[in-house]
Amino acid sequence: VKADKISERVKIVNLHRSLVNHIKRSIEKQPYLLSISEAIEKIISQLKERQKSVETTLQDLTKLAEQIAASEEEQQKSGLNKEEFSVFWVLRSHKVSKPETIAPQIYSEMNKHKEWLYNTHTERKLRRKLYKILLKTTPKNKLVELVNNLLKMHRILIQGRK
Protein backbone atom coordinates (compact mmCIF):
# COMPACT_ATOMS: atom_id res chain seq x y z
CA VAL A 1 0.00 0.00 0.00
CA LYS A 2 2.74 2.44 0.94
CA ALA A 3 4.60 2.01 -2.36
CA ASP A 4 1.55 2.51 -4.60
CA LYS A 5 1.53 5.76 -6.55
CA ILE A 6 -2.15 6.48 -6.15
CA SER A 7 -3.92 9.01 -3.96
CA GLU A 8 -4.26 8.30 -0.26
CA ARG A 9 -8.06 8.31 -0.52
CA VAL A 10 -7.94 5.55 -3.14
CA LYS A 11 -5.50 3.61 -0.95
CA ILE A 12 -7.95 3.89 1.94
CA VAL A 13 -10.85 2.63 -0.18
CA ASN A 14 -8.80 -0.29 -1.52
CA LEU A 15 -7.40 -1.22 1.88
CA HIS A 16 -10.82 -0.96 3.53
CA ARG A 17 -12.36 -3.19 0.86
CA SER A 18 -9.54 -5.73 1.14
CA LEU A 19 -9.74 -5.88 4.93
CA VAL A 20 -13.52 -6.24 4.97
CA ASN A 21 -13.42 -9.00 2.32
CA HIS A 22 -10.66 -10.86 4.17
CA ILE A 23 -12.57 -10.67 7.44
CA LYS A 24 -15.81 -11.87 5.82
CA ARG A 25 -14.00 -14.88 4.37
CA SER A 26 -12.14 -15.67 7.59
CA ILE A 27 -14.54 -14.82 10.43
CA GLU A 28 -15.81 -18.40 10.83
CA LYS A 29 -12.28 -19.73 11.34
CA GLN A 30 -11.00 -16.65 13.16
CA PRO A 31 -13.83 -15.09 15.20
CA TYR A 32 -11.40 -12.71 16.92
CA LEU A 33 -11.39 -10.74 13.65
CA LEU A 34 -14.75 -9.33 14.74
CA SER A 35 -13.02 -6.86 17.06
CA ILE A 36 -10.73 -5.77 14.23
CA SER A 37 -13.73 -5.42 11.93
CA GLU A 38 -15.40 -3.12 14.44
CA ALA A 39 -12.21 -1.07 14.73
CA ILE A 40 -12.05 -0.72 10.92
CA GLU A 41 -15.62 0.54 10.73
CA LYS A 42 -14.99 2.99 13.57
CA ILE A 43 -11.94 4.40 11.76
CA ILE A 44 -13.87 4.78 8.49
CA SER A 45 -16.76 6.42 10.35
CA GLN A 46 -14.37 8.90 11.96
CA LEU A 47 -12.94 9.73 8.55
CA LYS A 48 -16.40 10.32 7.10
CA GLU A 49 -17.28 12.58 10.03
CA ARG A 50 -13.98 14.42 9.54
CA GLN A 51 -12.72 13.43 12.97
CA LYS A 52 -9.65 11.82 11.41
CA SER A 53 -7.38 12.98 8.65
CA VAL A 54 -6.79 10.95 5.51
CA GLU A 55 -3.17 10.34 6.54
CA THR A 56 -4.10 9.13 10.03
CA THR A 57 -6.83 6.88 8.64
CA LEU A 58 -4.43 5.28 6.19
CA GLN A 59 -1.89 4.70 8.97
CA ASP A 60 -4.54 3.19 11.27
CA LEU A 61 -5.89 0.85 8.57
CA THR A 62 -2.36 -0.22 7.68
CA LYS A 63 -1.68 -1.03 11.34
CA LEU A 64 -4.85 -3.13 11.47
CA ALA A 65 -3.83 -5.00 8.31
CA GLU A 66 -0.45 -5.73 9.90
CA GLN A 67 -2.23 -6.80 13.09
CA ILE A 68 -4.37 -9.28 11.14
CA ALA A 69 -1.30 -10.79 9.50
CA ALA A 70 0.51 -11.02 12.84
CA SER A 71 -2.52 -12.54 14.57
CA GLU A 72 -2.77 -15.38 12.07
CA GLU A 73 0.87 -16.26 12.66
CA GLU A 74 0.48 -15.85 16.42
CA GLN A 75 -2.50 -18.22 16.47
CA GLN A 76 -0.46 -20.93 14.83
CA LYS A 77 2.39 -20.46 17.32
CA SER A 78 0.19 -20.17 20.41
CA GLY A 79 -0.94 -23.77 20.61
CA LEU A 80 -4.48 -22.59 21.39
CA ASN A 81 -7.38 -23.82 19.29
CA LYS A 82 -9.40 -21.21 17.34
CA GLU A 83 -11.94 -20.82 20.12
CA GLU A 84 -9.38 -20.35 22.89
CA PHE A 85 -7.34 -18.02 20.70
CA SER A 86 -10.44 -15.93 20.01
CA VAL A 87 -10.99 -15.58 23.76
CA PHE A 88 -7.29 -14.80 24.19
CA TRP A 89 -7.53 -12.08 21.53
CA VAL A 90 -10.50 -10.40 23.20
CA LEU A 91 -8.79 -10.58 26.61
CA ARG A 92 -5.57 -9.15 25.25
CA SER A 93 -7.37 -6.33 23.45
CA HIS A 94 -8.85 -5.40 26.85
CA LYS A 95 -5.38 -5.51 28.42
CA VAL A 96 -6.16 -8.41 30.77
CA SER A 97 -3.02 -9.72 32.43
CA LYS A 98 -1.95 -13.26 31.47
CA PRO A 99 -4.66 -13.79 28.83
CA GLU A 100 -2.97 -16.96 27.58
CA THR A 101 -3.65 -18.71 30.89
CA ILE A 102 -7.17 -17.38 31.40
CA ALA A 103 -8.43 -17.97 27.84
CA PRO A 104 -8.75 -21.77 28.06
CA GLN A 105 -10.53 -21.48 31.41
CA ILE A 106 -13.01 -18.92 30.07
CA TYR A 107 -13.66 -20.88 26.89
CA SER A 108 -14.25 -24.01 28.95
CA GLU A 109 -16.96 -22.20 30.95
CA MET A 110 -18.51 -20.80 27.78
CA ASN A 111 -18.50 -24.23 26.18
CA LYS A 112 -20.23 -25.76 29.23
CA HIS A 113 -23.03 -23.20 28.91
CA LYS A 114 -23.65 -23.10 25.16
CA GLU A 115 -27.38 -22.81 25.75
CA TRP A 116 -26.90 -19.29 27.13
CA LEU A 117 -28.01 -18.02 23.71
CA TYR A 118 -31.52 -19.36 24.27
CA ASN A 119 -31.90 -19.25 28.04
CA THR A 120 -31.57 -16.02 30.03
CA HIS A 121 -31.10 -17.89 33.31
CA THR A 122 -28.12 -19.75 31.84
CA GLU A 123 -26.76 -16.50 30.42
CA ARG A 124 -26.87 -14.87 33.87
CA LYS A 125 -25.15 -17.91 35.38
CA LEU A 126 -22.42 -17.82 32.70
CA ARG A 127 -21.92 -14.07 33.16
CA ARG A 128 -21.45 -14.58 36.92
CA LYS A 129 -18.84 -17.27 36.29
CA LEU A 130 -17.00 -15.09 33.78
CA TYR A 131 -17.07 -12.11 36.16
CA LYS A 132 -15.66 -14.29 38.91
CA ILE A 133 -12.79 -15.48 36.70
CA LEU A 134 -12.03 -12.02 35.33
CA LEU A 135 -12.44 -10.03 38.54
CA LYS A 136 -8.88 -10.87 39.58
CA THR A 137 -7.29 -9.51 36.40
CA THR A 138 -9.64 -6.82 35.10
CA PRO A 139 -10.71 -3.44 36.47
CA LYS A 140 -14.33 -3.55 37.65
CA ASN A 141 -15.37 -0.71 35.33
CA LYS A 142 -14.24 -2.76 32.28
CA LEU A 143 -15.84 -6.09 33.23
CA VAL A 144 -19.26 -5.63 31.64
CA GLU A 145 -17.83 -4.47 28.31
CA LEU A 146 -15.31 -7.32 28.30
CA VAL A 147 -17.90 -10.00 29.07
CA ASN A 148 -20.24 -8.54 26.42
CA ASN A 149 -17.44 -8.76 23.85
CA LEU A 150 -16.61 -12.33 24.88
CA LEU A 151 -20.25 -13.37 24.54
CA LYS A 152 -20.56 -11.62 21.17
CA MET A 153 -17.53 -13.54 19.93
CA HIS A 154 -18.88 -16.79 21.40
CA ARG A 155 -22.20 -16.23 19.62
CA ILE A 156 -20.27 -16.12 16.32
CA LEU A 157 -18.47 -19.33 17.22
CA ILE A 158 -21.76 -21.09 17.91
CA GLN A 159 -24.04 -19.66 15.24
CA GLY A 160 -21.73 -18.22 12.64
CA ARG A 161 -22.05 -14.64 11.50
CA LYS A 162 -25.55 -13.82 10.34
Side-chain angles (χ1 to χ4, degrees):
V1 173
K2 294 176 184 174
D4 291 344
K5 295 185 182 200
I6 54 178
S7 79
E8 289 187 335
R9 288 189 180 276
V10 174
K11 289 179 185 179
I12 289 171
V13 169
N14 290 341
L15 186 54
H16 177 249
R17 186 179 317 121
S18 296
L19 290 170
V20 168
N21 287 337
H22 175 75
I23 290 170
K24 282 182 182 176
R25 283 191 315 271
S26 305
I27 195 98
E28 295 293 323
K29 293 181 214 144
Q30 300 163 317
Y32 60 85
L33 293 176
L34 176 66
S35 62
I36 295 175
S37 174
E38 291 170 348
I40 291 168
E41 294 311 318
K42 183 177 178 184
I43 290 168
I44 294 298
S45 174
Q46 289 172 336
L47 174 67
K48 287 178 181 176
E49 295 171 5
R50 301 188 187 274
Q51 294 174 349
K52 271 190 185 281
S53 68
V54 172
E55 297 82 17
T56 306
T57 299
L58 185 57
Q59 290 171 354
D60 291 349
L61 289 177
T62 302
K63 285 178 189 172
L64 288 175
E66 291 166 354
Q67 192 177 12
I68 288 172
S71 70
E72 291 169 355
E73 186 177 318
E74 188 176 351
Q75 180 180 6
Q76 292 172 350
K77 290 180 181 177
S78 73
L80 299 172
N81 63 34
K82 78 174 185 179
E83 294 85 1
E84 293 169 345
F85 187 80
S86 296
V87 171
F88 164 80
W89 189 266
V90 172
L91 294 173
R92 191 174 74 181
S93 71
H94 284 269
K95 297 177 177 44
V96 173
S97 61
K98 299 185 181 180
E100 63 282 346
T101 57
I102 299 171
Q105 185 181 3
I106 287 178
Y107 181 69
S108 174
E109 283 300 328
M110 294 169 99
N111 204 33
K112 287 178 194 173
H113 299 90
K114 285 182 182 177
E115 66 278 2
W116 72 267
L117 284 166
Y118 315 105
N119 185 321
T120 56
H121 175 71
T122 306
E123 180 181 353
R124 283 192 300 272
K125 185 176 174 183
L126 175 59
R127 282 181 179 275
R128 280 193 303 269
K129 288 188 181 254
L130 295 178
Y131 291 141
K132 186 177 179 181
I133 294 167
L134 293 166
L135 197 56
K136 302 167 195 156
T137 59
T138 310
K140 288 181 184 179
N141 61 341
K142 301 287 185 182
L143 270 177
V144 173
E145 179 185 359
L146 173 56
V147 170
N148 287 341
N149 287 340
L150 286 166
L151 293 178
K152 185 189 297 185
M153 181 272 311
H154 193 242
R155 180 177 283 119
I156 291 171
L157 284 169
I158 293 173
Q159 296 180 325
R161 188 157 193 187
K162 295 187 177 175

